[in-house]
């Protein structure tokens, strides 16, 4: 019924132990807000994340819609593009003062503006992250908030790993962050690993039979198609890795 | 009275279900439609659902009856335990049962139970 306890064993590593890295001396970057070469995870970082995600979704809008046409109602690309455009506008219109505020604004805007199921689903992830995130944001704190966001998603959508949904991309991403933390991997690399895990998870939905949403009515005929929600989730994580590495996005700090 | 909001993917569907419900339950029951997106497309708008909740809220609670998919998820964004509740019921039958029961002055828990019962009532 609720979260499947996504990898309760290993995933819990970084959760609740937010800030666990600091002082432990394990992670060399303990205490400061980003790994070497990465951007500080301030409000601007999160704004840049959503701007980059909006750009990627816009670029892939037709692909997402085609994936959705195969097993859904052919509106995912259009809906998410519209929602993220609104998010970018909202964040530009009144720049957030904190990471938590940026995430909350993004979440609420997606809930209001997407119009399809992905609005409340993505919105719940970011709204929960906004509620949970402790500042200043470290990789450990990001990972903990992200995990709570994914749990909120699982609770709302009642989807588990293997149901051919966003969960199949976001849970592996969350696990990858937890493992990176455990191994003392710094921020840009950790987000790169999470992006890769999300992309693999999205590709991994192709052979699955859908058990949620419109696609579930198709039964076995949903097999052989990538889940559009998992595909867009992978884009979110790619955007995160890009921004963490100091890539595209405005005001990428004094490079 | 408990208010009832019919949440559907399409404005027309929500509007006509409300018309049917009003015809069966009576004009005095607070029932409102929230259908489609703000620009008239298929989907769900949180703003439209929120406005409908305000319209039917007499202080005795509000029951949201969604059709499926994003209507359910959007309705759940507004849940407030004991005050605003989402019914997991057949769309038309649940809305009719809820509104008729609300018209008798039943509290929210009773209205929800009546809507729930619609799930098990056979037609044949």
């Amino acid at each position: 019924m609720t979260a499947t306890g996504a990898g309760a064993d290993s995933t819990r590593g970084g959760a609740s132990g937010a800030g666990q890295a600091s002082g432990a001396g394990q992670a060399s970057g303990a205490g400061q807000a980003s790994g070497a070469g990465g951007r500080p995870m301030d409000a601007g970082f999160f704004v840049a994340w959503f701007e980059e995600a909006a750009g990627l979704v816009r670029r892939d809008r037709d692909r997402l819609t085609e994936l959705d046409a195969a097993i859904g109602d052919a509106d995912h690309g259009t809906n998410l593009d519209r929602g993220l455009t609104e998010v970018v506008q909202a964040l530009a219109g009144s720049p957030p003062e904190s990471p938590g505020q940026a995430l909350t604004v993004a979440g609420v805007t997606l809930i209001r503006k997407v119009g399809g199921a992905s609005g409340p689903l993505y919105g719940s992830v970011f709204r929960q992250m906004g509620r949970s995130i402790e500042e200043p944001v470290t990789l450990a704190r990001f990972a903990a908030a992200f995990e709570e966001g994914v749990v909120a998603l699982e609770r709302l959508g009642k989807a588990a790993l293997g149901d051919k949904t966003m969960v199949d991309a976001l849970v592996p991403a969350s696990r990858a962050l937890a493992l990176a933390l455990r191994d003392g991997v710094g921020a840009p690399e950790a987000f790169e690993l999470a992006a890769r895990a999300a992309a693999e998870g999205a590709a991994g939905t192709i052979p699955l039979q859908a058990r949620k949403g419109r696609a579930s009515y198709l039964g076995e005929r949903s097999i052989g198609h990538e889940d559009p929600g998992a595909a867009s989730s992978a884009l979110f994580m790619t955007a995160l890795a890009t921004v963490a590495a100091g890539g595209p996005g405005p005001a990428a700090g004094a490079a | 009275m408990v208010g009832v909001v019919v949440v559907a993917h399409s404005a027309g569907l929500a509007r006509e279900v409300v018309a049917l419900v009003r015809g069966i339950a009576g004009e005095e029951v607070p029932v409102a439609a929230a259908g489609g997106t703000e620009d008239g497309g298929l989907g769900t708008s949180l703003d439209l659902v929120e406005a409908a909740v305000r319209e039917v809220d007499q202080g005795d609670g509000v029951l949201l009856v969604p059709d499926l998919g994003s209507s359910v998820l959007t309705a759940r964004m507004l849940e407030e335990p004991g005050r605003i509740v989402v019914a997991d019921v057949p769309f038309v039958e649940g809305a009719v049962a809820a509104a008729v029961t609300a018209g008798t002055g039943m509290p929210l828990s009773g209205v929800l139970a009546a809507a729930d019962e619609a799930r098990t009532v056979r037609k044949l």
Side-chain angles (χ1 to χ4, degrees):
Chain A
M1 170 153 180
T2 57
T4 50
D9 47 350
S10 63
T11 320
R12 299 285 159 204
S16 75
Q20 152 239 46
S22 53
Q26 240 251 11
S28 53
Q32 90 328 7
S34 79
R39 296 177 54 176
M41 289 188 253
D42 53 10
F45 173 95
F46 288 88
V47 171
W49 179 18
F50 289 109
E51 286 175 343
E52 180 67 14
L56 293 184
V57 166
R58 168 145 305 176
R59 196 191 65 190
D60 271 10
R61 181 179 56 192
D62 295 345
R63 181 179 71 93
L64 293 173
T65 292
E66 277 163 33
L67 291 175
D68 200 29
I71 56 173
D73 51 0
D75 62 5
H76 187 56
T78 318
N79 281 347
L80 200 54
D81 179 27
R82 180 178 50 238
L84 280 168
T85 301
E86 297 271 0
V87 167
V88 169
Q89 276 174 354
L91 292 172
S94 50
E97 286 167 17
S98 67
Q101 200 187 352
L103 288 160
T104 301
V105 167
V108 169
T109 305
L110 289 171
I111 289 169
R112 287 194 178 280
K113 298 297 179 186
V114 169
S118 61
L121 292 167
Y122 276 128
S124 293
V125 174
F126 296 121
R127 206 170 55 165
Q128 182 61 53
M129 280 186 80
R131 270 199 288 262
S132 299
I133 201 137
E134 292 181 54
E135 297 161 23
V137 181
T138 59
L139 180 61
R141 287 171 171 173
F142 183 100
F146 184 67
E147 191 187 352
E148 288 189 36
V150 174
V151 169
L153 165 74
E154 291 173 306
R155 241 185 237 132
L156 177 66
K158 299 205 162 56
L161 267 180
D163 283 351
K164 199 179 180 97
T165 71
M166 294 159 56
V167 170
D168 291 312
L170 294 176
V171 165
S174 182
R175 285 181 183 170
L177 287 179
L179 291 174
L181 268 175
R182 191 195 63 189
D183 299 341
V185 175
E189 294 81 353
F191 289 131
E192 185 53 46
L193 291 168
R196 215 170 300 162
E200 284 166 13
T205 62
I206 294 172
L208 296 176
Q209 180 172 330
R211 287 199 285 262
K212 289 285 162 196
R214 182 195 178 281
S216 63
Y217 298 127
L218 299 176
E220 287 184 0
R221 281 172 299 165
S222 64
I223 294 172
H225 302 279
E226 186 177 350
D227 177 68
S232 59
S233 290
L235 294 180
F236 271 103
M237 301 316 291
T238 302
L240 182 62
T242 302
V243 170
Chain B
M1 282 184 208
V2 170
V4 178
V5 173
V6 170
V7 186
H9 274 64
S10 120
L13 177 60
R15 201 172 42 237
E16 292 304 325
V17 169
V18 165
L20 173 68
V21 165
R22 281 216 181 97
I24 297 173
E27 293 295 325
E28 69 287 351
V29 183
V31 185
T37 57
E38 275 156 280
D39 55 8
L42 294 181
T44 322
S45 155
L46 185 69
D47 290 349
L48 290 178
V49 182
E50 267 182 337
V53 168
R54 279 194 300 272
E55 191 185 324
V56 300
D57 190 352
Q58 300 185 344
D60 299 314
V62 175
L63 191 71
L64 303 174
V65 183
D67 58 357
L68 71 163
S70 64
S71 297
V72 180
L73 298 177
T74 302
R76 287 190 59 200
M77 296 283 106
L78 297 173
E79 279 194 303
E80 290 176 25
R83 217 185 75 72
I84 302 176
V85 178
V86 178
D88 178 7
V89 298
F91 184 56
V92 174
E93 297 86 339
V96 169
V100 171
T101 313
T104 67
M106 279 277 248
L108 183 58
S109 56
V111 173
L112 177 61
D116 260 328
E117 229 167 273
R119 175 176 293 288
T120 55
V121 174
R122 300 292 308 259
K123 293 175 195 181
L124 297 177

